[in-house]
Amino acid sequence: MEAALYGPDGFYVRPGGPGPAGHFRTSVHASPLYAAAVARLLCRVDAELGHPAGLDLVDVGAGRGELLAGVLAALEPQTAARVRPYAVERAERPAGLDPRIRWVATPPEGTTGLLFANEWLDNVPLDVSEDGRYVLVAPDGTESAGGPLEGADRAWLERWWPGGGRAEIGRARDEAWASAAGTLERGLAVAVDYAHTRGARPPYGTLTGFRGGREVPPVPDGSCDVTAHVALDSCAGPGAVLLTQREALAALGVSGARPPLALASTDPLAYVRALSSAGEAAELTDRAGLGAFGWLVQPAGIPAPAWPGAAGRA
């Protein structure tokens, strides 16, 4: 999985390609409402921090920098002037990106502000196990049984994915998230992803591939995305809160409610714009789609935000 995604000519680092947006649709690509919601969250964090002179915004797994560009565009100019935006990405910096955005390979240490990871953890490489043994995979996707599980992986499964059968060992994701969130000195760390929790792990796992907008077999040859859903509850650190994207975006002012029909008579253009916005919001908050994504919200040195209707603490 590491080689297929990030090795020479790997899916995410291949030069000249379209990037993730050319293969699958994320919340960032679905609507500018998503970046605007993240901008509002950043402003809430800014207020909790007392409006520091430098406000860090760290986007982990930044793709081509689309989310950062959208957030900067959504902020008031006086706030945007204080923001220090970092795109954490292993691919090369794309041409034409806003020069304010710093392109880095790892999250900078000692930041103050918001660290945001949208659909990053599902691409942190992991191992798959079946009946107490590792699953080995050939470059053409053919699987075979490997050796017995090491002690740390066995302990992770016993705690977080009990029951035997086939499972995806999330220990590498836990460590990746702890490392990224640990760079934040004060502020909020947020991970958003396909997710499941201990009480509802999928019995056969979720490992799959994506190419050109279609789900395909997870062949690890660099030709497709290789991804697996995230056990967000195991990633969560002290004080973290788990909620759905629908709950999070509702608290950040994203609503799929239709505009009043009377507006169509008084201001037809405004009605059409509001109707379009409501459709985009409905996609972002769809219970059967993007709205079911998990949000892991972890504070560092500030109070955790209040999230009405949230599922509770991790």
Side-chain angles (χ1 to χ4, degrees):
M1 190 172 177
E2 171 72 28
L5 297 180
Y6 307 112
D9 204 36
F11 179 80
Y12 278 107
V13 298
R14 186 182 301 117
H23 295 276
F24 47 84
R25 184 176 175 85
T26 73
S27 296
V28 176
H29 309 121
S31 171
L33 294 175
Y34 192 74
V38 175
R40 287 191 287 276
L41 179 58
L42 178 62
C43 289
R44 293 186 185 183
V45 173
D46 185 32
E48 285 288 348
L49 293 169
H51 306 290
L55 180 63
D56 296 310
L57 174 59
V58 183
D59 182 7
V60 185
R64 297 298 184 264
E66 301 97 331
L67 177 60
L68 287 173
V71 172
L72 290 172
L75 291 170
E76 293 291 336
Q78 59 269 33
T79 303
R82 292 187 292 110
V83 171
R84 296 181 295 222
Y86 295 89
V88 183
E89 181 56 63
R90 295 171 71 168
E92 293 183 1
R93 181 189 183 100
L97 187 66
D98 189 321
R100 292 175 292 179
I101 297 174
R102 301 158 169 86
W103 199 262
V104 296
T106 58
E109 295 286 343
T111 48
T112 299
L114 176 64
L115 181 142
F116 202 87
N118 184 72
E119 294 195 42
W120 167 58
L121 285 173
D122 67 288
N123 288 126
V124 171
L126 48 58
D127 283 314
V128 175
S129 71
E130 191 159 3
D131 298 327
R133 307 185 76 85
Y134 291 107
V135 173
L136 304 181
V137 60
D140 66 356
T142 303
E143 293 185 353
S144 60
L149 296 175
E150 296 176 1
D153 288 339
R154 188 182 305 109
W156 188 93
L157 288 173
E158 288 173 354
R159 180 179 181 186
W160 293 109
W161 199 318
R166 186 177 174 98
E168 293 145 2
I169 305 169
R171 188 166 63 89
R173 273 91 179 271
D174 297 355
E175 294 169 356
W177 177 247
S179 178
T183 63
L184 190 63
E185 188 170 298
R186 292 184 68 227
L188 204 64
V190 179
V192 182
D193 234 308
Y194 303 96
H196 46 66
T197 54
R198 190 180 186 276
R201 303 284 188 226
Y204 303 107
T206 60
L207 188 71
T208 191
F210 284 95
R211 182 194 304 116
R214 296 179 180 273
E215 190 169 5
V216 297
V219 177
D221 61 1
S223 67
C224 66
D225 183 24
V226 178
T227 178
H229 294 197
V230 183
L232 275 184
D233 51 347
S234 76
C235 295
V241 174
L242 296 179
L243 62 160
T244 67
Q245 174 154 300
R246 182 180 178 87
E247 293 165 339
L249 293 185
L252 292 169
V254 177
S255 171
R258 293 172 62 92
L261 191 58
L263 185 63
S265 300
T266 58
D267 193 339
L269 288 179
Y271 178 77
V272 170
R273 288 193 297 268
L275 195 62
S276 174
S277 179
E280 293 175 4
E283 180 181 3
L284 291 172
T285 59
D286 181 4
R287 289 187 177 92
L290 293 173
F293 274 38
W295 278 48
L296 165 58
V297 181
Q298 189 165 311
I302 65 170
W307 298 94
R313 293 191 176 276

